Structure formats: structure tokens, C-alpha cells
Amino acid sequence: MYDEEDLEAIREDKERWADETLDPVLDRHGERQENFATVSNLEVDRLYTPEDVSDIDYDEDLGFPGEEPYTRGVYPTMYRGRTWTMRQFAGFGTAEETNERFHYLVDEGQTGLSTAFDMPTLMGIDSDDPMADGEVGKEGVAVDTLRDMEILFDGIDLEDVSTSFTINPSAPVIYAMYVALADKRGVSREKLRGTMQNDMLKEFIAQKEWVIPPDPSLDLVTDTIEFAVEETSNIKPVSISGYHIREAGSTAIQELAFTLADGFAYVEDAMERGLDIDAFAPQLSFFFNSHNSLFEEVAKFRAARRIYARVMDEWYGAADPKSKQLKFHTQTAGQSLTAQQPLNNVARVTVQALAGVLGGTQSLHTNSYDEALALPSEQAVRVALRTQQIIAEESGAADIVDPLGGSFAVESLTDETEAKAMAYIEEIREMGDGSVRDGVLEGIEQGYFHREIQDASFEYQERVEEGEETVVGVNAYESDEDTKPEMLHVDEGVQKRQRERLTEVKADRDDAAVEDALDTLGEVVESGENAMPAIVEAVKVGTTMGEIMELFERRHGSYRETVGVA
């Protein structure tokens, strides 16, 4: 963007500035620390100039919003057209309690729903399973049957709301229940809008919620992609999730690289099944973490779009522009929240949310200040939502498309992030002999991802303990005052009530119809056909989450047992 004569003049002037203006100040006062780096320990320079971005080709590397390579955003007007979807994560106790919270959030101005499930539901077991004892409804809503889904969305128009479901090994069952609910209400499947997280590869990499082994898990994810293309074109069947990779301790660059690698693995698997990339790629979505280092996060989001556009074009032959547009949800960093001085988390979340907005996110969840202590209270949820609304309506951040575009620092960090992330992706591709999918599966098998994340996590914690990384209220600016807010407590009677409803459903249903549905599903799974249509029919007759997932375990083996988890 600058010719060599201009750059030479800038270099000379920078040297003069350093000698005449900078050095005398450094000699007298120095700087407050020896090294400056991001949360991920990516070193940042004191000053950035045009020389740091001299290799940028505006058309090839930046372009314009809504045009390749989408560095500056996937839509030409971005938030001047409409703001991001404000999608607060919610779910606890029974379906009735979560339904009440859903209505509260909608009344407060939330523009999309996001569903949290309890651990038994996440792991594909029913509330009356002995392994579920003590966990029912504790960290999300319990959903065992279609009856729970009916109550969860009571009074909510499925055509008007976009709903996200944060669930993975048992995601196909929840997806089937949502489709079955629409069928029962007479809502066209094409009118359903929302996102299934359904990202099993990152579960094996980072979060560790699984039922069956990696290969059949990948097959089941591809089943949902194929079903979504044919039946629910406005539902995104998988949200490729870097969030949990980052929460496990990765750096921003590892989060970006491993997430995109997982995405390319799904692309390759769907293409191998015979799906046209331009038929399914527009329905893929992504989910990223937004941490405290504002400029690093903005650079990460911008690099993500650029890498995705180029790889989808050059490696996979995508032609439809929508196939090359990386659209993503952002959640502020849960692991950055502190139990000490929890109100400080309001400031942290604001910075992180602002990074997501400046980076061009399509939807956003802001964590509540009390989440390091318990499930969010209504007051904390309201503050978190208001944080988004203030950024949207008062800050001006939503008024300019890619407002940090052209910043020497941000463009330089974007380039550096892209280069380092691509180096990881190429390494993973090499592990698979040219296939990203095979490389990801091999990396899971060999523990590659675990080691990379573990090393990064250890290095960060070491910096915190040595005081090189400041965490306000934890290793600096500490206080002896008790600052814990009032917390939400889940009623201990939730488990009893949920189990009673499950017993009623089992008593009222047609057992022969359930048995037939499970037999049909078993035949489909055995044949290798797409399992989703059979799962939809199974939930319609009252088959439970646990009964369906147990069938998959019998067919493919239990990964819990394989890795020694009882």
C-alpha cells in the first residue's frame, strides 16, 4: 500500500524519533515492564508503522466488507444493517424453569435463544439412570423426551425465534426432538432457525463429552449435515467450536487453527459422502472465544475469515460466495472470570464483548459476573445482556464497518495470526497425508492436540503464578472484603420432579411402538444409512434420550469404557 520511497522515508523518520524523542524518555523513566505480550504470550511491538504492513495487498488481503476474502466482514453493511444476535446462554432445573428464563430474556430484549443442558442430557443418559444421580438439572436443563422439549418451548413461536443448542454427543437426538416438535405444531421444517453445536471433534480434542468413538461420532455429525441440507435449510447442523479449545487452555492461535482444522475435516467427510460443497457449506457455522487481549482477538476473527475463504476456494473448490463466508458466534471467556471480586468480571466481559463486535461476530453471548461461583442469577444475566445493548446502542462500535481495519497494529497482528494458524493447519494436514480429516483423527489418537493445549495452559499458569501475567483481584489489587453476590441455587427437588415426569411418559407411551422404532433405528445404523430420519420417528413415539444413545453404544462400543471413564 506504500511504495518503497515512502517506506524508506518512514524508516528514517522512525530512527530519528527513536533517537530524539523515545530514547531520552526510556533513559529517564523506562517502561512499566520488560516485555509486552497478549494473553496468549504473542509479543507485541511498542509501535507499528506502514513498514509492518508493507506486504499487504489491499484487494487480495483486505478487500471490502461482503466480498472475498471477507477479512473486513461477511456483510457489506454489517451492524449498520442490523446488530448481531444477542444470544444469552440459559438453562437450569426442569423444562418449566428454563422456559420461564427464556421468556424473561426475550422480554428483556434478547434476540435469540441459547440452550444449556444438564450433564446427563449432554452425555446421552436419562434422568433416572444411576449415573445421573445428583446431576439432574444442576448445570443446565434436563431433557429426556419430546415432552420436555414441548414444555421448554411452551409459548415460544418456533418460526419467530432462532435457537442455539449447546450439546454434542447427543445432539442428533435434541435436533430430532426440535424437528418433531415443529412437526407436531404444524411448523414447516424449512422455517426452523437455529444452530446445533454438535461438534464432536473438539470434544475429543478438548471438552471430553463423548459416548461413542471418534470415527462413528464423525459419521453421525455428517448424518446431521446431510439431513439439514435436505430438511431444515435454515438450521446450522454443526457449530465448529473453538470456544472449548480456548477454555481448555489453548492460545488464540491454537484455538483458531484447531477449530478451522475441525471445520475442514467436516467438509472433507461430507464431500466424501457425496455432498456438494456448495449445498452444505453455507449451513456450517463457527463458535469462538473472546478473551481479554482486545487486539489479539480482533486479529484472530479477521484472520479466521480470510483463511476460511481462501481454503474453501483453493482446497475444496467452493464456488458459492456463501460457502466461503465464515460466520460465527462469540462467547466471552468463561475461564477469565474470577470468583474473587466478581464485579470486576463486568469490566472483563465488556472488553471481551467489544472485541467480538470489533471483530465482526454474527451473534454474541456475554457471561454473567457471577458465573465463577454459580449458575447466573437474573440480575447478573440482565447486566450481561445490558452490556451488549450498551455496546450496540451507545458506544458507536456498531456504526462503522471493520473500524480497526487499516490499523498498522491490527493488520500486522492479523497477518501474523494467519501465518501461524496456517502453519498448524498444514502440520495437521501432513499428519493425514494430505487429508485434514485424517490428520485431525490421527492427532486425536496420538494425543497431539492434548499436548499442545496442555503445554500452552501450563505456560500461562506459570506466568500468572510468577506475576508476569496480572489478574486483577487474584494476584494483584487483592481485597479481604467479602464481595460474593447472592447466587442462584437449583432446587434440590428438581431431580425428583424430572424423574416423575419421565416415569409418566414411559407409562403413557406405546411400548410396542417404541420397540419398533428402536428396531428400525438399529437396522438403519447397522446398514450405514443416515440415522436422523429414524431418530426423529423414535422421539415422536416417546423413546428417551438414553434409549437412543444406548443403541449407538451397543453398535459402536462405548468410548467412555475405552478410555476408562465409568
Side-chain angles (χ1 to χ4, degrees), residues 417-433:
T417 300
E418 177 185 14
K420 291 184 175 180
M422 278 305 302
Y424 263 121
I425 292 168
E426 292 285 8
E427 182 180 0
I428 293 165
R429 196 183 189 196
E430 288 174 12
M431 289 195 301
D433 294 324

Side-chain angles (χ1 to χ4, degrees), residues 505-519:
V505 170
K506 287 181 176 180
D508 292 343
R509 70 187 185 178
D510 183 338
D511 289 338
V514 171
E515 188 174 343
D516 288 345
L518 286 171
D519 286 344

Side-chain angles (χ1 to χ4, degrees), residues 404-458:
L404 295 181
S407 156
F408 304 136
V410 169
E411 297 299 356
S412 180
L413 287 170
T414 300
D415 286 352
E416 184 176 4
T417 300
E418 177 185 14
K420 291 184 175 180
M422 278 305 302
Y424 263 121
I425 292 168
E426 292 285 8
E427 182 180 0
I428 293 165
R429 196 183 189 196
E430 288 174 12
M431 289 195 301
D433 294 324
S435 164
V436 179
R437 179 195 63 183
D438 293 349
V440 169
L441 292 171
E442 180 67 17
I444 291 168
E445 178 69 24
Q446 298 299 325
Y448 165 81
F449 298 105
H450 292 159
R451 289 193 299 274
E452 289 291 318
I453 295 170
Q454 178 179 286
D455 289 348
S457 179
F458 177 81

Side-chain angles (χ1 to χ4, degrees), residues 260-319:
L260 291 179
D262 287 349
F264 300 144
Y266 292 126
V267 167
E268 290 180 7
D269 202 66
M271 291 178 70
E272 186 169 292
R273 186 173 290 196
L275 299 181
D276 181 345
I277 189 167
D278 287 323
F280 71 85
Q283 283 180 259
L284 299 179
S285 67
F286 288 79
F287 174 23
F288 290 111
N289 197 302
S290 189
H291 217 293
N292 288 332
S293 290
L294 188 145
F295 299 116
E296 175 175 58
E297 296 304 309
V298 172
K300 179 185 74 180
F301 299 136
R302 298 173 85 251
R305 285 192 292 269
R306 191 155 74 202
I307 293 171
Y308 190 72
R310 287 175 173 168
V311 169
M312 292 295 278
D313 183 357
E314 295 170 11
W315 293 6
Y316 303 118

Side-chain angles (χ1 to χ4, degrees), residues 31-312:
E31 293 180 320
R32 56 188 170 87
Q33 56 195 54
E34 185 176 346
N35 297 309
F36 290 81
T38 67
V39 168
S40 300
N41 208 25
L42 186 67
E43 188 173 341
V44 293
D45 294 340
R46 174 184 294 111
L47 179 72
Y48 291 83
T49 71
E51 188 175 12
D52 294 291
V53 294
S54 60
D55 292 335
I56 285 181
D57 180 307
Y58 186 88
D59 290 333
E60 289 292 319
D61 299 326
L62 295 179
F64 293 93
E67 295 181 355
E68 291 186 50
Y70 304 108
T71 309
R72 306 202 68 183
V74 292
Y75 300 119
T77 60
M78 289 302 288
Y79 309 133
R80 289 172 70 102
R82 68 178 182 86
T83 57
W84 58 93
T85 300
M86 299 180 190
R87 194 188 298 279
Q88 293 298 105
F89 199 35
F92 63 93
T94 62
E96 289 90 347
E97 290 166 298
T98 298
N99 174 261
E100 184 179 338
R101 177 62 66 88
F102 278 174
H103 282 284
Y104 170 78
L105 288 169
V106 170
D107 290 344
E108 291 292 328
Q110 180 167 302
T111 53
L113 298 176
S114 182
T115 316
F117 296 94
D118 70 358
M119 186 57 69
T121 305
L122 292 173
M123 297 302 294
I125 61 176
D126 291 332
S127 296
D128 59 0
D129 190 295
M131 287 181 63
D133 191 32
E135 294 295 332
V136 176
K138 283 297 177 70
E139 59 178 36
V141 63
V143 175
D144 296 309
T145 67
L146 180 58
R147 179 60 184 145
D148 293 316
M149 189 68 78
E150 291 172 339
I151 296 168
L152 188 60
F153 288 93
D154 184 42
I156 294 172
D157 190 337
L158 301 185
E159 294 186 32
D160 283 348
V161 71
S162 169
T163 305
S164 174
F165 297 95
T166 301
I167 194 163
N168 294 283
S170 47
V173 184
I174 292 295
Y175 183 15
M177 288 179 181
Y178 199 58
V179 170
L181 176 61
D183 290 350
K184 190 170 183 178
R185 289 190 184 179
V187 175
S188 168
R189 294 179 179 184
E190 288 293 316
K191 292 183 178 179
L192 294 175
R193 292 182 297 119
T195 304
M196 308 300 303
Q197 187 165 110
N198 193 29
D199 179 5
M200 283 310 302
L201 293 176
K202 64 89 179 164
E203 290 296 329
F204 295 108
I205 288 172
Q207 197 172 24
K208 304 178 178 61
E209 287 169 7
W210 49 56
V211 176
I212 56 178
D215 284 289
S217 292
L218 178 55
D219 288 340
L220 198 48
V221 173
T222 305
D223 280 356
T224 65
I225 294 172
E226 185 176 36
F227 183 83
V229 169
E230 295 172 356
E231 299 287 339
T232 61
S233 60
N234 289 306
I235 283 185
K236 297 185 182 300
V238 56
S239 176
I240 301 111
S241 303
Y243 183 84
H244 310 90
I245 293 171
R246 190 69 177 278
E247 290 291 289
S250 79
T251 66
I253 289 167
Q254 288 170 338
E255 176 198 357
L256 174 58
F258 299 166
T259 305
L260 291 179
D262 287 349
F264 300 144
Y266 292 126
V267 167
E268 290 180 7
D269 202 66
M271 291 178 70
E272 186 169 292
R273 186 173 290 196
L275 299 181
D276 181 345
I277 189 167
D278 287 323
F280 71 85
Q283 283 180 259
L284 299 179
S285 67
F286 288 79
F287 174 23
F288 290 111
N289 197 302
S290 189
H291 217 293
N292 288 332
S293 290
L294 188 145
F295 299 116
E296 175 175 58
E297 296 304 309
V298 172
K300 179 185 74 180
F301 299 136
R302 298 173 85 251
R305 285 192 292 269
R306 191 155 74 202
I307 293 171
Y308 190 72
R310 287 175 173 168
V311 169
M312 292 295 278

